[in-house]
Amino acid sequence: MPDDIERTVSGIGELAPPERTLMGPGPSDVHPRVLRAMSTPLVGHLDPAFVELMDDVQALLREAFRTDNEWTIPVSGTGSAAMEAAIGNVVEPGETVLVPTNGYFGGRMASMARRAGGDVVEVDAPWGEPLDPGDVADALADHEPDVFGFVHAETSTGVCQPNVAELTAAAHDHDAVVIADAVTSLGGVELRVDEWDIDVAYAGPQKCLSCPPGASPLTLSDAAMDKVLSRDDPPRSWYLDLSLLEGYWGDDRSYHHTAPITNVYALREALRLVAEEGIENRWQRHERLAGALKAGIEAMGLEMNVPDEYWLPSLNAVRVPDGIDDGDVCTALLERYDLEIASGLGDLDGDIFRIGCMGRSARPENVIYTVTALGDVLESMGVAVDPDAGVTAARRALEN
Ligand SMILES: Cc1ncc(COP(=O)(O)O)c(C=O)c1O
């Protein structure tokens, strides 16, 4: 090996990441079939074999989103890329955009809408609560927005927004285009894009689809796509301009950028797993497995931060016991158990743990392991929890 290369490489060993159990807000554990798909040979992004595979991914994505939208694609990039593609294309400069204040990702919607040139107005709800349909109706009447964005599954708070069809109907009464953030719901929590009349939805692959990040689902109705294609000025991003991406993901299949081939392979395999299981069965599995996790957590003596009516199975927000530093608990779980969970964010910083139960991570063994490890770590820190009661309750719930 030449001297200069040896100098660079010495001390940098072969890649050997620790084997974690991923029960945080994402990424989740990846299925071995998806990892195998990622180690298959590359073909070109315009190879006829890849073009065929693009059709597969689009068809499988439509099934997962429960939509017939022709405009259903994986955006190259993480969930934020799909989010920015949605907002940056739909929102035109000077348009009014209504966004929620009840979580971190509503805030990100607002930032992106501002950068797209939109005038942002807000509908308020506290962190840890969903939007109230009455408040949304009032905000729509007050502001007459062009676009209404909401977060279906708020990863920062563990809230699943109920009454989605009611919100979209109200928005459409005011001719607003509805954008839904489904990053933490697609493939794990009931989501019916067509039936609920959602115009645009985006997601991330690394949550309930249990796929590595890198190619992120996006779907737009024909009406939403018409709005995008009839803009006065192109969106500010060239890379995420859907009118240009149409050339690659639409009928032409002509070059726009080099697609992340391996991520598209992975997404295809992850979506095949969803189709094999059946999307509705998958929603039920998430509810059952996260229900067992919740039963264990509560029986141990801890408290969930959101009531059952809007509990989000894929992301469980658990109150941090008094006098305990949430960061210390997360660190101890990682160090002692190779188990990842996360702290709270923003308004809930220091108040909650965020425990994911997504995709491949939503398995009985992960649930029992998480309840056991959390109980052990908290008990060792002097918290009055009953880990055995937690494990028994989780096990019983899993037997049902
Ligand atoms: C609700 C929600 N929206 C958007 C995003 C952004 O996705 P990414 O981190 O993949 O860019 C996330 C990521 O956690 C999320 O949870």
Side-chain angles (χ1 to χ4, degrees):
M1 197 182 288
D3 268 5
D4 54 338
I5 297 183
E6 185 150 38
R7 230 186 7 259
T8 311
V9 167
S10 67
I12 302 178
E14 197 181 332
L15 182 68
E19 282 188 35
R20 309 285 200 209
T21 299
L22 298 176
M23 297 295 281
S28 56
D29 289 346
V30 175
H31 196 287
R33 267 175 52 185
V34 174
L35 292 175
R36 275 201 298 277
M38 295 186 82
S39 61
T40 54
L42 285 202
V43 294
H45 56 288
L46 295 171
D47 188 306
F50 192 71
V51 167
E52 224 173 88
L53 198 140
M54 290 163 75
D55 290 336
D56 298 343
V57 171
Q58 289 184 282
L60 290 165
L61 273 180
R62 287 185 193 104
E63 266 185 55
F65 270 125
R66 283 297 182 105
T67 184
D68 292 330
N69 286 343
E70 188 191 338
W71 254 95
T72 304
I73 64 168
V75 175
S76 303
T78 70
S80 302
M83 182 174 188
E84 196 140 38
I87 294 170
N89 281 275
V90 171
V91 175
E92 289 195 65
E95 287 190 340
T96 303
V97 186
L98 179 65
V99 296
T101 61
N102 60 342
Y104 181 87
F105 292 101
R108 187 173 292 186
M109 270 188 167
S111 302
M112 287 186 179
R114 274 190 204 101
R115 283 174 188 236
D119 294 325
V120 170
V121 290
E122 290 173 337
V123 48
D124 288 325
W127 283 48
E129 287 183 27
L131 296 179
D132 179 278
D135 292 343
V136 173
D138 290 346
L140 288 163
D142 287 350
H143 303 293
E144 292 294 338
D146 302 280
V147 178
F148 165 52
F150 74 95
V151 181
H152 180 224
E154 187 37 272
T155 327
S156 64
T157 62
V159 168
C160 185
Q161 177 65 48
N163 313 306
V164 172
E166 203 180 323
L167 302 187
T168 57
H172 292 146
D173 283 347
H174 293 268
D175 295 325
V177 176
V178 178
I179 301 180
D181 181 319
V183 170
T184 296
S185 52
L186 180 70
V189 177
E190 184 179 14
L191 171 70
R192 300 175 187 273
V193 167
D194 285 0
E195 203 177 312
W196 294 349
D197 223 358
I198 295 168
D199 301 299
V200 182
Y202 58 84
Q206 74 275 23
K207 312 273 184 175
C208 301
L209 298 178
S210 273
C211 183
S216 299
L218 171 69
T219 187
L220 290 91
S221 68
D222 285 349
M225 199 57 193
D226 284 349
K227 178 175 185 337
V228 170
L229 295 177
S230 57
R231 291 174 61 105
D232 289 336
D233 294 308
R236 290 174 185 178
S237 167
W238 177 89
Y239 188 62
L240 298 173
D241 181 342
L242 292 175
S243 71
L244 301 180
L245 279 170
E246 190 193 14
Y248 185 52
W249 283 101
D251 292 337
D252 287 357
R253 300 292 196 227
S254 55
Y255 173 71
H256 173 265
H257 67 275
T258 311
I261 314 290
T262 303
N263 290 89
V264 177
Y265 289 171
L267 186 58
R268 180 178 179 278
E269 194 58 21
L271 289 165
R272 259 164 43 83
L273 285 162
V274 174
E276 280 170 24
E277 183 174 0
I279 188 73
E280 299 203 6
N281 291 338
R282 202 171 165 100
W283 298 338
Q284 281 158 18
R285 172 167 61 87
H286 279 77
E287 196 164 333
R288 195 172 76 81
L289 273 291
L293 177 69
K294 184 157 87 69
I297 284 167
E298 288 175 333
M300 186 194 306
L302 300 175
E303 212 187 311
M304 299 294 290
N305 196 51
V306 295
D308 287 353
E309 304 97 86
Y310 41 88
W311 161 62
L312 174 62
S314 48
L315 197 287
N316 296 271
V318 180
R319 304 267 337 147
V320 176
D322 286 344
I324 289 297
D325 183 286
D326 54 325
D328 290 348
V329 175
C330 296
T331 303
L333 285 169
L334 204 61
E335 286 177 355
R336 286 190 226 163
Y337 286 95
D338 269 320
L339 173 67
E340 180 177 283
I341 69 164
S343 296
L345 288 174
D347 285 10
L348 293 174
D349 185 20
D351 294 338
I352 59 167
F353 298 118
R354 293 181 302 141
I355 308 181
C357 193
M358 305 175 181
R360 169 99 176 136
S361 292
R363 278 181 296 157
E365 54 268 47
N366 282 35
V367 167
I368 298 292
Y369 189 60
T370 304
V371 172
T372 307
L374 183 62
D376 177 51
V377 164
L378 289 174
E379 195 173 46
S380 74
M381 291 177 171
V383 182
V385 284
D386 185 344
D388 291 343
V391 173
T392 304
R395 200 182 304 121
R396 288 223 177 98
L398 287 170
E399 281 160 10
N400 290 332

